[in-house]
Amino acid sequence: EDTYLEGHFDAVIEANDRIEPRDWMPEKYRATLVRQIAQHAHSEIIGMQPEGNWITRAPSLRRKAILLAKVQDEAGHGLYLYSACETLGVSRSELTELLLAGKQKYSSIFNYPTLSYADVGTIGWLVDGAAICNQVPLCRTSFGPYGRAMIRICKEESFHQRQGFELLSTMMRGTDEQRAMVQESVDRFWWPALMMFGPPDDDSPNTAQSMAWGIKRDTNDDLRQKFVDMTVPQAEALGVTLPDPQLVWNEQRGHYDFGSPDWAEFKAVVKGEGPCNTQRLAHRQRAHDEGAWVREAATAYAEKGVRA
Ligand code: FAQ
């Protein structure tokens, strides 16, 4: 029977079709998906913090409403992804415990501080821009619930990216001081944004197997290149300089050449030694503790059953 089921799995992968939760799958396929989807879900939830930092200090009612809505969208993305992960047999509360115990990761990018309001625009433009580049191909991932969650998430991320670009272009049309704020913010976020795509392909232990299983559709380096190619013209339109002296159009390759991020810094941030790792997890733990009464009340209500 096992060979029959394995044959079915291989045929679905071969045909670029979807594996669904009740289909047989290799244990390692399941484990890889739990790892990646959980890391992605945690990123959305922890990713609420850097921008959330500016909600009470937004410069106008309009900017505050936009930012509030954007941060709420991230919470929604986290919930779609935890639900997708639950179809693989792990509960959201187990995943939260693993995050809080430091046993599962979240994206390195959210361990950097947001020091000015321009960072809200830069995160929308560069961080959501990188997220879209990485996530559009994931709409075609081989695991059904993950791919379907990605379709909805990508629609909202595109809107977030436009929001960031619009904020920055408004500031670039403002005073010299505002233009300097934008440039300073882009200088800080450019390299960490490139690190979002993960280590270089020759140092990425998971890429080969994840590509073979159709979990990932592109390699880390290919997506990083795509992001640079799409972002340079946007930087020109904004009038900001990307902080990379090696950034230059390569006619032969038909792509931009660019410098290498500081991979030692990346490794340190992933290990927990970034500027805000401790603060981010402590904040998440506090929110979890303060929400205990909500979980208890919801459980008590569910136990009573629904009465018409
Ligand atoms: N940060 O072998 P690979 C967002 C880990 S967007 C931390 O290449 P893989 C939207 C990796 O887990 C951000 N850790 O791994 C938003 C592995 O460790 P492990 C979230 C990283 O999985 C915007 C090890 O390094 N997006 O949230 C990072 O094949 C604004 C070796 O790496 C996603 O998660 C990193 N940057 O490729 C929200 C997208 N990179 O687990 C709020 C889905 C790698 O073996 C505001 N994920 N690691 O111990 C993916 O596409 C992949 O998982 C990659 C990594 C490409 C991130």
Side-chain angles (χ1 to χ4, degrees):
E1 197 196 17
D2 272 9
T3 19
Y4 169 76
L5 293 172
E6 205 169 329
H8 176 260
F9 175 85
D10 291 344
V12 170
I13 297 295
E14 178 70 25
N16 278 328
D17 250 334
R18 302 270 210 204
I19 295 294
E20 294 298 336
R22 279 184 253 186
D23 292 341
W24 181 89
M25 60 186 84
E27 248 343 284
K28 277 196 148 171
Y29 176 84
R30 182 190 302 276
T32 300
L33 278 166
V34 169
R35 177 183 64 78
Q36 178 167 325
I37 302 173
Q39 172 171 328
H40 197 163
H42 299 327
S43 302
E44 301 283 356
I45 299 299
I46 297 276
M48 295 168 75
Q49 293 183 39
E51 290 165 285
N53 179 37
W54 285 93
I55 291 172
T56 55
R57 290 171 292 162
S60 68
L61 182 61
R62 176 170 171 269
R63 290 291 171 197
K64 182 167 173 150
I66 294 170
L67 183 55
L68 203 54
K70 198 225 174 209
V71 173
Q72 283 178 343
D73 284 350
E74 311 299 357
H77 297 173
L79 298 190
Y80 301 161
L81 288 163
Y82 284 127
S83 298
C85 212
E86 287 196 323
T87 69
L88 292 161
V90 239
S91 70
R92 180 174 151 201
S93 61
E94 284 173 87
L95 298 171
T96 303
E97 293 302 334
L98 289 167
L99 168 71
L100 293 174
K103 290 182 181 153
Q104 281 181 343
K105 300 184 163 84
Y106 58 90
S107 181
S108 49
I109 189 74
F110 303 117
N111 292 306
Y112 291 86
T114 45
L115 304 178
S116 78
Y117 200 75
D119 289 357
V120 170
T122 307
I123 289 178
W125 176 43
L126 295 179
V127 176
D128 286 279
I132 294 165
C133 227
N134 164 270
Q135 287 167 200
V136 165
L138 288 175
C139 295
R140 292 180 287 109
T141 191
S142 59
F143 186 59
Y146 190 28
R148 289 188 288 274
M150 280 296 107
I151 293 170
R152 301 175 64 175
I153 292 176
C154 282
K155 287 184 183 160
E156 293 182 351
E157 299 287 26
S158 317
F159 177 60
H160 293 170
Q161 200 262 356
R162 295 296 292 266
Q163 171 271 146
F165 189 86
E166 190 270 345
L167 196 167
L168 295 184
S169 65
T170 304
M171 289 184 77
M172 291 303 286
R173 280 183 270 111
T175 62
D176 284 347
E177 209 181 338
Q178 286 175 305
R179 274 186 287 277
M181 269 173 84
V182 173
Q183 184 61 56
E184 190 273 335
S185 171
V186 170
D187 288 346
R188 275 184 291 111
F189 274 97
W190 175 247
W191 294 108
L194 291 188
M195 294 175 193
M196 289 174 70
F197 296 94
D201 292 350
D202 57 16
D203 194 24
S204 162
N206 300 298
T207 293
Q209 183 56 261
S210 289
M211 297 274 288
W213 275 329
I215 293 175
K216 284 166 81 166
R217 294 295 184 188
D218 299 275
T219 72
N220 300 355
D221 284 332
D222 285 352
L223 291 174
R224 195 168 7 251
Q225 178 73 63
K226 203 168 165 188
F227 173 69
V228 171
D229 289 347
M230 100 183 184
T231 306
V232 172
Q234 295 173 5
E236 282 164 7
L238 276 176
V240 297
T241 308
L242 297 174
D244 179 358
Q246 286 168 263
L247 188 66
V248 60
W249 177 251
N250 183 324
E251 189 66 50
Q252 271 167 352
R253 292 201 308 126
H255 292 289
Y256 284 93
D257 290 338
F258 57 100
S260 179
D262 180 346
W263 293 116
E265 176 183 315
F266 170 75
K267 283 185 181 153
V269 174
V270 172
K271 251 189 10 204
E273 294 159 10
C276 300
N277 295 59
T278 309
Q279 180 189 335
R280 298 294 185 235
L281 271 185
H283 185 101
R284 186 70 199 83
Q285 179 72 57
R286 201 161 55 242
H288 186 66
D289 295 344
E290 285 170 4
W293 71 272
V294 179
R295 292 189 297 279
E296 279 161 27
T299 308
Y301 183 77
E303 275 164 6
K304 279 189 188 171
V306 183
R307 287 190 197 117

